Amino acid sequence: MAENVSFVPYQFERFPEDEMLRRSIDFLERMSNRRTVREFSDEPIPSEILDNAIATAGTAPSGANKQPWHFCVITDPEIKKKIREAAETEEKENYERRYSEEMKKDLSKFETNFVKEYLTTAPALIVVFRESYKVVDGVRYKNYYVNESVGIATGMMIAALHNAGLATLTHTPNPMRFLNDILNRPQNETPIVLMPIGYPAEGAKVPDINRKPLDEIMSRF
Ligand code: IYR
């Protein structure tokens, strides 16, 4: 599948330094206010915002520009119910048997358990799939840095949704293969995250936790 691409001039938008600084502060402030939410309102959300957030994710860099991702948007209550039932079955097993004592201790501050009400309450779910490899006419083609590419795309999607005024939960029931069956996705795709999206429920609370300060997460050389 050798392809030739031509090169075109990049229309890069350069800002004066004071504006760069202002934009970086504005964006940091906006993102600092993002929290993972576990209590959602069932109020409907505009579908175009989800489309735009997924299109934003689709602008992410990827290994050899393979764009090895697929996004399923679920708003159908019946499908959400099926997903919730399957996720709770796995999570019950996780909490009761598979999680180590250390993990349960690490999770205790979030007060999570196997009941996943948000999977039916939130007006939309997005499932992000990684495309581990591609099959075209029975021939298998490689993708590269798939986890990295999909992780970057998902981060950009979370930022886009938060920026638009919607809350998300990065939920990863494990294993998640049941999502291939429910959503009819091929075996070369693996679900990476199951993300409820919506407005926080009235009076929603989040754990009182802090972000590491810059000097702890950064070294200068
Ligand atoms: N996936 C489980 C448990 C869980 C694991 C981690 I690591 C978290 O940061 C939060 C929860 C659940 O969703 O309950």
Side-chain angles (χ1 to χ4, degrees), residues 14-26:
R14 184 159 175 168
F15 306 110
E17 248 177 57
D18 59 341
E19 193 181 338
M20 288 168 70
L21 184 61
R22 191 174 47 73
R23 292 173 73 100
S24 73
I25 293 169
D26 287 351

Side-chain angles (χ1 to χ4, degrees), residues 14 22-23 41 48 57 64 78 87 115 118 124 147-148 153 170 179 181 188 194 197 213 221:
R14 184 159 175 168
R22 191 174 47 73
R23 292 173 73 100
S41 150
E48 210 181 329
E78 282 307 309
V115 181
Y118 44 68
N147 283 341
E148 293 83 345
T170 308
L179 290 167
D181 302 331
N188 61 323
L194 164 53
I197 296 159
F221 298 92

Side-chain angles (χ1 to χ4, degrees), residues 88-111:
E88 286 182 339
T89 302
E90 292 300 343
E91 290 290 13
K92 191 163 193 296
E93 194 63 20
N94 288 339
Y95 278 91
E96 288 175 4
R97 274 175 276 278
R98 299 197 278 239
Y99 287 158
S100 66
E101 288 309 313
E102 181 179 1
M103 183 163 177
K104 282 192 268 196
K105 196 162 150 268
D106 278 335
L107 291 181
S108 63
K109 61 172 164 289
F110 303 107
E111 297 183 0

